[in-house]
Amino acid sequence: MRIPFFRIFYSTSFTVLSLILAVLLLLTPANLIYEAFRRRKIYSIFIVSGVCILTLVVAVLLYASRLYANRRALLHIPKAWSPLEKGHVEYRVRKLVAEKLDETAAIAFEVRPRNLSKSATGQSEQRLRSAATDDRDAQYKQPIPPWGIISHPGWSSPSSPDLPHLQLTPIIHELCNLMEAKAVSLAPPDSFYSPTTAASTEPPLPDALIVEYLQRPATMNLRNYISHLTALGMLEQHSLTAQFLSLYEKARFSGHPISEPDFRTLMALFASILRNLKPLHPSIIHQIRTENNDSRRRELDIEQHGPAYTPPRTILHPASRTLFAFLGLRSGQRGNGANGAVASEYFSERIVEDVDVTECE
């Protein structure tokens, strides 16, 4: 605990000096009263005592009036009324306040939105100052104000009919999650699902394995995720995709807020990409499920026969092996998006065929 040495010293010294001062002040009248009592001058005793008592009363009244005045002044802060009229304050103070009010009124008029219409070009400043309030309110209610559309980068215009006072940056940050949600919603239903096992009104459960392939890792950016969907055949290469990615990365990583027209263009491109998303091709779903079943079968064989067990090799068609290496299905990883167009073209032209050959030792 910190000891307040300065406060102790200040209080002690102030008390000691006050006592010394009181003793010195009372020493003189006490001496006069003693001398008058010794010489039998009773009237002198009353005179000295009366003067001392009167001085004490005046001192107490002055101190009390000072405390009362200070307390009333503090209670009037802030004032409930503005001291701007004559007589409230001094002339110089009122003159200074009036000058500052005139400057504030001039600044408020200068920063007011300008009327850019041709009909108001020839109006004088005096006519603009004396414009009626009803006329200004009628101008504010127009679909396009006469001073034009006011908007700041990163925000939509306050006069926007559909998106007023909207911050644009958080929406851009959610585009990755929205695209992932759309892609996951296109996952096929679980193969073990049947209407008899659940209520007919409930939607079928999606295949968890396919959902895992369609999910976006936290470290994957939107460009790589679009390449991943393209590699799976859910999205086709298009010029709109490249235009969307360019505009998105500029708005996301340039450090400058996006303007409202660019934001509307970005959202239009994003909506077009979402409309072009299509479900996975049945051949890709079959390959994913087959590879997952084979992987589980090998794990079960290793658990039953021990670590020294060597599972039989599965020889795939060369084209299937190349495609598996591209998509990363055999290693349990997601496909690389660099060759997405090749995979989409491959699946659109032919169906992958697997040929299983078991080696006998």
Side-chain angles (χ1 to χ4, degrees):
M1 180 178 180
R2 184 179 179 182
I3 301 176
F5 293 102
F6 178 77
R7 182 178 298 177
I8 296 174
F9 170 76
Y10 181 81
S11 302
T12 305
S13 60
F14 182 80
T15 304
V16 171
L17 292 177
S18 299
L19 293 176
I20 294 174
L21 180 61
V23 171
L24 292 177
L25 290 175
L26 295 176
L27 185 62
T28 301
N31 186 28
L32 292 175
I33 292 174
Y34 175 75
E35 291 294 335
F37 179 78
R38 194 180 64 173
R39 296 179 182 182
R40 305 296 182 179
K41 295 180 179 181
I42 304 301
Y43 64 90
S44 297
I45 295 176
F46 286 103
I47 292 174
V48 174
S49 301
V51 170
C52 291
I53 294 174
L54 182 61
T55 304
L56 181 61
V57 171
V58 172
V60 171
L61 290 177
L62 291 176
Y63 184 71
S65 63
R66 184 177 181 87
L67 290 178
Y68 178 75
N70 291 339
R71 185 165 296 181
R72 282 186 61 87
L74 292 176
L75 289 176
H76 285 83
I77 298 175
K79 293 183 179 295
W81 49 276
S82 300
L84 302 178
E85 302 298 332
K86 294 182 179 180
H88 293 168
V89 292
E90 297 180 2
Y91 172 75
R92 292 180 299 176
V93 176
R94 184 179 182 280
K95 182 180 179 181
L96 178 62
V97 172
E99 291 178 355
K100 295 303 180 181
L101 286 177
D102 292 340
E103 293 180 3
T104 304
I107 294 174
F109 174 77
E110 292 297 332
V111 300
R112 193 181 64 175
R114 301 292 184 179
N115 193 339
L116 302 179
S117 59
K118 297 181 180 179
S119 59
T121 305
Q123 293 182 354
S124 61
E125 294 293 330
Q126 186 65 26
R127 184 176 179 183
L128 289 175
R129 290 177 183 268
S130 60
T133 306
D134 296 339
D135 296 339
R136 292 200 303 268
D137 293 342
Q139 291 178 355
Y140 297 154
K141 296 178 182 178
Q142 294 179 3
I144 300 179
W147 50 78
I149 299 177
I150 299 176
S151 63
H152 295 276
W155 290 82
S156 62
S157 175
S159 59
S160 177
D162 52 350
L163 302 174
H165 301 284
L166 179 65
Q167 190 176 3
L168 308 180
T169 302
I171 299 177
I172 296 176
H173 292 175
E174 291 295 328
L175 293 184
C176 290
N177 299 330
L178 294 176
M179 181 165 290
E180 180 185 2
K182 176 63 175 179
V184 171
S185 66
L186 298 177
D190 194 350
S191 57
F192 297 99
Y193 174 83
S194 61
T196 58
T197 60
S200 58
T201 58
E202 296 181 0
L205 296 176
D207 193 332
L209 179 63
I210 306 301
V211 170
E212 181 182 358
Y213 273 88
L214 296 180
Q215 287 178 342
R216 181 182 65 91
T219 57
M220 179 181 289
N221 55 26
L222 185 57
R223 179 179 288 272
N224 291 339
Y225 186 63
I226 290 179
S227 300
H228 173 68
L229 296 180
T230 304
L232 294 177
M234 298 183 64
L235 193 63
E236 297 180 356
Q237 287 285 1
H238 200 275
S239 60
L240 295 179
T241 305
Q243 185 179 356
F244 165 75
L245 288 174
S246 177
L247 191 57
Y248 168 79
E249 292 175 349
K250 178 182 177 181
R252 182 73 171 82
F253 306 108
S254 65
H256 301 286
I258 188 173
S259 61
E260 185 177 357
D262 291 343
F263 175 77
R264 292 184 179 275
T265 303
L266 177 67
M267 296 307 296
L269 295 174
F270 181 71
S272 177
I273 292 176
L274 293 184
R275 286 193 297 267
N276 291 332
L277 276 176
K278 54 186 178 180
L280 285 171
H281 196 276
S283 59
I284 300 181
I285 298 176
H286 175 70
Q287 294 294 337
I288 295 175
R289 290 174 176 174
T290 302
E291 179 64 22
N292 182 68
N293 294 333
D294 294 343
S295 177
R296 290 182 178 180
R297 189 182 303 110
R298 285 193 295 270
E299 292 177 358
L300 292 176
D301 292 340
I302 293 176
E303 291 179 359
Q304 293 177 0
H305 297 85
Y309 174 72
T310 302
R313 292 184 301 171
T314 301
I315 303 177
L316 302 179
H317 191 275
S320 299
R321 190 185 302 111
T322 303
L323 185 61
F324 275 129
F326 169 73
L327 292 177
L329 298 178
R330 298 186 65 85
S331 61
Q333 300 176 355
R334 296 179 177 172
N336 185 8
N339 299 322
V342 178
S344 300
E345 183 179 358
Y346 176 81
F347 278 116
S348 63
E349 292 179 356
R350 57 190 300 179
I351 299 177
V352 180
E353 297 179 357
D354 291 346
V355 179
D356 296 338
V357 178
T358 305
E359 294 183 358
C360 299
E361 296 181 358

